[in-house]
Amino acid sequence: MKKVYILEHSRENADGEDEYKVIGAYETMADAEDAKSRAVLRPGFKDYPDDFNIVEYVLGQDHWVDGFFVWTPDSE
């Protein structure tokens, strides 16, 4: 089973909107951790060092299988 490790950064901005950035995909967890060590020194990211996440994915497999819906607030 082949895996990949995705380093991402996500946070809520001043407008209350989610910001999501994929930093990279890596062959090993150690490579992803090394990338995080580099990224946390960069402008912007260094202000939010706790907002990084490393996600392990198995290659060749669906990971989002439930579909999605769009929510819109009721107009009043």
Side-chain angles (χ1 to χ4, degrees):
M1 166 177 7
K2 193 131 178 145
K3 298 177 184 177
V4 65
Y5 299 86
I6 306 295
L7 173 61
E8 57 191 24
H9 188 271
S10 61
R11 68 176 203 88
E12 189 175 297
N13 66 20
D15 296 327
E17 298 173 353
D18 291 332
E19 291 183 354
Y20 178 79
K21 297 166 187 69
V22 174
I23 309 302
Y26 305 93
E27 191 172 0
T28 68
M29 179 63 83
D31 290 343
E33 291 285 355
D34 289 345
K36 178 182 172 183
S37 296
R38 294 188 301 273
V40 76
L41 301 174
R42 295 183 186 137
F45 293 123
K46 66 183 177 182
D47 298 326
Y48 303 94
D50 297 328
D51 295 334
F52 286 96
N53 191 35
I54 298 173
V55 181
E56 176 185 282
Y57 284 96
V58 175
L59 294 177
Q61 173 180 331
D62 294 339
H63 293 274
W64 191 296
V65 297
D66 293 331
F68 73 97
F69 69 94
V70 177
W71 178 83
T72 54
D74 294 331
S75 50
E76 297 187 28

